[in-house]
Amino acid sequence: AQETLGDDYSSDGDYRAALKSYQRAFDLSAGDFTAHARLAVKVGNTAFNRGIATGTDGWFNIPLDKTVPVPGTGVSVAHLHMQQIRTLWLSSRTRDIVPLSERLLEFATASNDADLILATRLSLALVLQLLSRYDEATSYLHAIDIDALPKDPKVMSKYHRVCALEYLSSGNGEMAADSFATALHYAEQDQDPYAYTSILHSHAMCASQLGRTELAASLFLQALSAARDRNLGWIVAYTSLEYARVLSRQGNRHLAHAYVDQAATVENPPPVLLEALAEIGIPIAIECNDPYLLSQCANEDALTFAFRSGEPPRLGPVASSFARYFHRIGQTRKAGELLAKALEYVKNADEACDLPLAVAQFGDKRDFGRAREVLRS
């Protein structure tokens, strides 16, 4: 009954109520391993939609090697760990995803589960792209038999999204844009409330990187509308920040300020949102001369999370914005030390093009040579 109630709440977008019902059902199902694993997936998915990122709750603690041989149970536990992968990203623990995905691939291979093998290879390709480990990402992507891909919209959208990221990392912007458009076509057919907004977000980011500002603005607005329709609170704030960045580039700083100000009001923001607030909000707050908004955006926990993620495209921009913040409040030495640390992780300008520019503005002259190397790479 509690599970059914949770399903009803979830379909209405009331994730707060759904999470309570699923958690009660999860606790009550402790004696039924199959139901326990199935409900763990629902608790994890709902927690993600609410922006709750934690690895300590019971629904994460069903290891693959403890799975009992009950028909269907292995699939439920595998889905649980796929959900855990999503939540690890939310909590800025991207590096931790790789060993979990590798274990999951071993489990899928031993189980001879073709669908799970495919899903895990796509997951590894995606996360290795985020970590700028491009050769490894490509090896997992190319291990997939394109002709054997199932016509499941979720699989197809994720496959074309990973392809788009590969094209983008290799400098083929046109192919990346086409692949994102294809991914979006399939995502529109998917029932996952997060997947569609995520693909829209990625497509918009691609358009922005290609200098197609108007298209990026349109896509971010679509993503924002989709997130609001689906009651994805933290994703609404996350997308608002990206839209604010586009508005700022268009010279509309006052409207950009309003979107940042709105995003900064989210209670208990997940780590990934704290990073976005710092990366995007700090420069806009400084440009608008708003000390209060600046204090809201400059939460130094965001730095810890960004470096913990291991993602150069994430930590470089966050470090650059904080360097600007430290310089603003007169802590120039701290700004220089932070930029020097970030340069140890960022290998080329494609990963964080603003980092070498921040070094030129706020960094130590001893780091100029390394910054030039990043620009040339």
Side-chain angles (χ1 to χ4, degrees):
Q2 288 290 344
E3 181 178 5
T4 301
L5 188 60
D7 290 343
D8 291 340
Y9 283 131
S10 183
S11 64
D12 292 337
D14 188 350
Y15 298 115
R16 183 186 296 272
L19 185 60
K20 289 181 179 178
S21 294
Y22 285 144
Q23 188 69 59
R24 291 191 191 104
F26 174 77
D27 293 338
L28 291 169
S29 67
D32 182 343
F33 191 89
T34 302
H36 209 51
R38 182 183 69 250
L39 283 158
V41 177
K42 294 186 177 183
V43 173
N45 184 62
T46 310
F48 178 84
N49 288 333
R50 281 207 59 211
I52 299 171
T54 174
T56 59
D57 288 342
W59 57 275
F60 268 180
N61 297 329
I62 305 178
L64 288 166
D65 57 1
K66 300 298 183 184
T67 305
V68 296
V70 177
T73 302
V75 173
S76 293
V77 176
H79 287 166
L80 168 63
H81 287 288
M82 293 300 287
Q83 179 57 45
Q84 184 179 3
I85 286 169
R86 179 181 280 186
T87 308
L88 284 171
W89 173 83
L90 179 68
S91 59
S92 298
R93 294 173 55 190
T94 315
R95 279 184 293 210
D96 295 342
I97 295 173
V98 177
L100 175 60
S101 293
E102 290 172 341
R103 290 198 301 274
L104 191 56
L105 183 57
E106 292 174 0
F107 175 83
T109 303
S111 305
N112 198 27
D113 187 327
D115 291 341
L116 185 56
I117 290 172
L118 171 61
T120 310
R121 281 176 175 164
L122 284 172
S123 175
L124 275 163
L126 178 59
V127 74
L128 290 167
Q129 280 280 353
L130 296 175
L131 293 169
S132 301
R133 292 161 59 175
Y134 301 118
D135 291 342
E136 295 172 73
T138 299
S139 69
Y140 281 109
L141 183 60
H142 290 180
I144 295 170
D145 183 357
I146 301 174
D147 296 328
L149 282 175
K151 299 307 177 184
D152 181 352
K154 183 182 292 294
V155 174
M156 295 300 290
S157 64
K158 190 167 186 177
Y159 173 76
H160 287 286
R161 181 186 187 184
V162 175
C163 287
L165 290 172
E166 183 184 37
Y167 288 132
L168 201 59
S169 66
S170 62
N172 195 334
E174 293 300 324
M175 291 292 288
D178 289 345
S179 290
F180 274 127
T182 303
L184 185 59
H185 166 73
Y186 285 108
E188 288 172 339
Q189 305 168 41
D190 191 3
Q191 297 301 310
D192 186 338
Y194 170 73
Y196 177 62
T197 55
S198 178
I199 296 294
L200 271 170
H201 189 278
S202 295
H203 193 185
M205 292 289 288
C206 176
S208 181
Q209 290 182 40
L210 294 174
R212 299 176 180 177
T213 309
E214 294 299 327
L215 176 59
S218 173
L219 290 167
F220 276 129
L221 273 178
Q222 290 178 56
L224 191 54
S225 177
R228 284 172 174 160
D229 288 346
R230 293 160 174 78
N231 296 317
L232 305 178
W234 75 270
I235 299 175
V236 171
Y238 189 67
T239 309
S240 295
L241 288 167
E242 292 291 356
Y243 183 50
R245 176 166 26 209
V246 174
L247 289 169
S248 180
R249 288 173 178 170
Q250 291 177 323
N252 195 343
R253 67 173 65 176
H254 295 295
L255 187 55
H257 177 280
Y259 275 99
V260 174
D261 193 44
Q262 187 178 49
T265 63
V266 173
E267 295 182 4
N268 302 314
V272 69
L273 183 56
L274 278 179
E275 293 171 47
L277 272 170
E279 176 189 344
I280 300 167
I282 287 174
I284 291 174
I286 290 175
E287 289 172 7
C288 294
N289 195 27
D290 186 338
Y292 178 69
L293 182 60
L294 182 60
S295 67
Q296 287 183 296
C297 294
N299 184 332
E300 292 191 40
D301 285 344
L303 275 175
T304 301
F305 296 140
F307 278 96
R308 184 177 72 181
S309 76
E311 296 183 42
R314 183 184 289 197
L315 64 90
V318 173
S320 300
S321 288
F322 265 102
R324 186 171 182 177
Y325 166 70
F326 290 141
H327 187 269
R328 175 82 170 193
I329 63 176
Q331 297 184 11
T332 54
R333 181 175 178 179
K334 194 171 183 178
E337 291 172 348
L338 173 60
L339 291 170
K341 180 181 178 181
L343 280 171
E344 296 176 8
Y345 293 85
V346 177
K347 305 303 180 184
N348 62 67
D350 288 341
E351 296 171 350
C353 61
D354 48 356
L355 182 61
L357 301 179
V359 173
Q361 287 181 287
F362 314 117
D364 192 299
K365 289 183 178 180
R366 291 173 295 182
D367 296 317
F368 285 5
R370 178 72 190 98
R372 290 191 188 97
E373 290 176 16
V374 170
L375 281 172
R376 294 190 189 104
S377 300

